[in-house]
Amino acid sequence: MITNTQGSAPGTGPQPADFTDVRATNLAVVLRFVRENAPCSRADIAASTGLNKATVSSLVADLIDRRLLRETGLTENRVGRPATMLVLDGSPYAAVGIEVNVDYLTAVAVDLKGEALLSWRRAFPGGSASSGQAVAGIAGVARRVVTRMTKEARQVLGLTVAVPGLVDLNGSVRLAPNMGWRDVDLAGDLAKALRDPGFPVLADNDANLGALAELRFGPHGGVRDLVYLTGEIGVGAGIVLDGRLRRGGAGFSGEIGHIEIVPGGPPCHCGRRGCLEVVAGLGALLDRTVPGGVSPAELEPEIDEVVQRAEAGDPVVLDLLDTLAGNLGRGVGIVANLLNPEVVVLGGYYVKLAPWILARAEREMLGRSLAPAGGGCRLVVSGLGYGAAALGAAARVLDSVDSGRLPAPA
Ligand SMILES: [Zn+2]
């Protein structure tokens, strides 16, 4: 805690090296408090954060200057003077997330409060384009989103791109097998393609971002331990423990898709056999139901056809779905034993398949968990739709604001 009431203008004189860090940390504490408790008064903030009233007034003034908070004019009736209430100011900013996949691209923008401003879904030849073509395509969509936000008089706080693959902590894609990418400096190349746009450009793994989206926007109030599983051609896990995303040492955690589920099973592109991804990913289903094999550009209509055949009671499809669900449940059982999450969320195309796979997968998970009743683990489907990773990508931008990377005062 600090008591200095001056602004955080760097370079205005000798200051302790960590002065601006402390100030930024305290600004973030206040911002997060208002995010969680708005409308609230300065006195509420002081009482709950332990910061003294003068400091809170200074911090709030700074956040109002930066147009992150605004006064509502509402007052709270209680003993003593009525207080001016504070809320987040959603109007001047936008956080942008883009999810790329083998067959589609989703772009979303949200305001500071997390309210949706825009949601686009486009066909995208991610599985067949070169990484250079893909970067150009992503940059084109990003430019259109930024133009739209600028027209609405909003400043873009940041852009995160979600990728199905191994993304290191610097935003480089080390390997995205289903996209055919290896060692692509996605964040760097995209920033260049956008001509250093004046906001941070990040890249992250789609499962990590799906987990962030569930944490911020999903119906899991108070959940601290959550695993999100992507349901695409690939299967990845985003792991949240104790309220924090766990990326691992180099950023590569959560590669559940390459855990061996069926010894000696079908070959996986990783060179091994029987991986979760090949026995419980979409390929496992579509290879057997789509004559002539899977076309990455047409996954959605192919899944719709599977759903129609399942609804019509097609025994071949029902049998395949049951096998997929059993294999998926085995994988979730490993997650339950290893991490003891409160909830495992199935995302992507698993959502459409849920009526045929959820109960079976949960039975399998419960049967394999050593702890009684799966250690309390619930298996649910995402309510965030296809855009979950894109939403999480925007959430990552908001997370970085909440942790103290604030836009400059106007
Ligand atoms: Zn594999």
Side-chain angles (χ1 to χ4, degrees):
M1 182 193 326
I2 58 167
T3 54
N4 193 312
T5 56
Q6 300 303 306
S8 65
T12 51
Q15 291 174 344
D18 62 349
F19 176 84
T20 52
D21 287 351
V22 173
R23 177 91 183 165
T25 303
N26 285 344
L27 286 166
V29 165
V30 173
L31 185 66
R32 285 200 302 273
F33 183 84
V34 178
R35 181 184 289 289
E36 285 160 20
N37 298 284
C40 57
S41 68
R42 289 168 177 79
D44 296 334
I45 298 168
S48 298
T49 61
L51 294 160
N52 72 41
K53 283 184 186 172
T55 304
V56 168
S57 287
S58 159
L59 294 167
V60 165
D62 193 337
L63 291 168
I64 290 174
D65 275 356
R66 292 170 198 260
R67 301 183 68 198
L68 294 164
L69 299 188
R70 65 184 173 83
E71 295 180 331
T72 61
L74 286 173
T75 56
E76 198 181 41
N77 286 322
R78 60 172 162 185
V79 182
R81 283 190 303 154
T84 305
M85 304 305 271
L86 299 161
V87 292
L88 288 186
D89 187 356
S91 59
Y93 297 111
V96 180
I98 294 180
E99 172 185 0
V100 294
N101 225 305
V102 290
D103 57 332
Y104 67 90
L105 176 154
T106 305
V108 303
V110 301
D111 70 11
L112 187 69
K113 290 185 281 190
E115 303 283 341
L117 301 171
L118 165 158
S119 178
W120 293 343
R121 185 172 155 93
R122 302 273 188 273
F124 179 70
S128 55
S130 71
S131 59
Q133 289 167 328
V135 167
I138 298 163
V141 171
R143 261 184 236 111
R144 286 201 289 281
V145 175
V146 172
T147 302
R148 173 73 73 89
M149 292 300 107
T150 307
K151 271 188 191 150
E152 292 181 12
R154 291 176 186 277
Q155 179 190 337
V156 173
L157 293 168
L159 162 69
T160 309
V161 180
V163 183
L166 298 175
V167 184
D168 71 18
L169 299 172
N170 299 317
S172 273
V173 181
R174 306 267 56 124
L175 181 68
N178 298 315
M179 313 277 288
W181 297 359
R182 184 182 285 277
D183 293 325
V184 177
D185 178 15
L186 182 60
D189 290 353
L190 203 51
K192 267 185 225 133
L194 293 170
R195 306 203 173 150
D196 298 321
F199 51 78
V201 178
L202 309 168
D204 203 339
N205 169 268
D206 60 346
N208 285 346
L209 295 171
L212 286 186
E214 291 294 335
L215 212 56
R216 191 179 273 267
F217 300 110
H220 316 289
V223 167
R224 308 273 299 161
D225 300 284
L226 172 150
V227 174
Y228 176 87
L229 295 185
T230 60
E232 308 286 341
I233 293 288
V235 179
I239 301 166
V240 173
L241 296 177
D242 209 13
R244 288 183 52 203
L245 188 63
R246 303 296 167 163
R247 299 168 186 280
F252 302 151
S253 70
E255 286 304 321
I256 189 178
H258 301 283
I259 286 177
E260 184 186 64
I261 297 292
V262 178
C268 179
H269 63 76
C270 75
R272 287 168 286 268
R273 306 184 78 89
C275 294
L276 177 74
E277 184 162 306
V278 288
V279 296
L282 291 192
L285 194 64
L286 299 178
D287 282 346
R288 307 276 295 277
T289 52
V290 176
V294 183
S295 156
E298 289 170 8
L299 286 182
E300 192 167 4
E302 287 169 357
I303 289 290
D304 287 343
E305 194 192 325
V306 166
V307 167
Q308 279 169 15
R309 286 171 64 182
E311 281 170 345
D314 180 331
V316 174
V317 167
L318 291 178
D319 192 48
L320 284 169
L321 284 168
D322 191 60
T323 304
L324 179 149
N327 290 330
L328 179 62
R330 289 186 199 188
V332 178
I334 292 170
V335 170
N337 280 326
L338 197 62
L339 302 174
N340 187 210
E342 292 165 70
V343 59
V344 173
V345 185
L346 301 180
Y349 290 110
Y350 285 144
V351 176
K352 277 193 178 177
L353 302 176
W356 300 279
I357 66 172
L358 188 61
R360 167 84 162 92
E362 187 172 53
R363 267 203 316 281
E364 192 72 30
M365 178 270 285
L366 292 171
R368 285 170 186 270
S369 166
L370 184 64
C377 176
R378 291 177 291 124
L379 184 62
V380 302
V381 289
S382 174
L384 300 178
Y386 289 111
L391 207 50
R396 188 170 162 190
V397 175
L398 296 183
D399 284 353
S400 115
V401 175
D402 282 357
S403 62
R405 289 178 146 258
L406 305 181

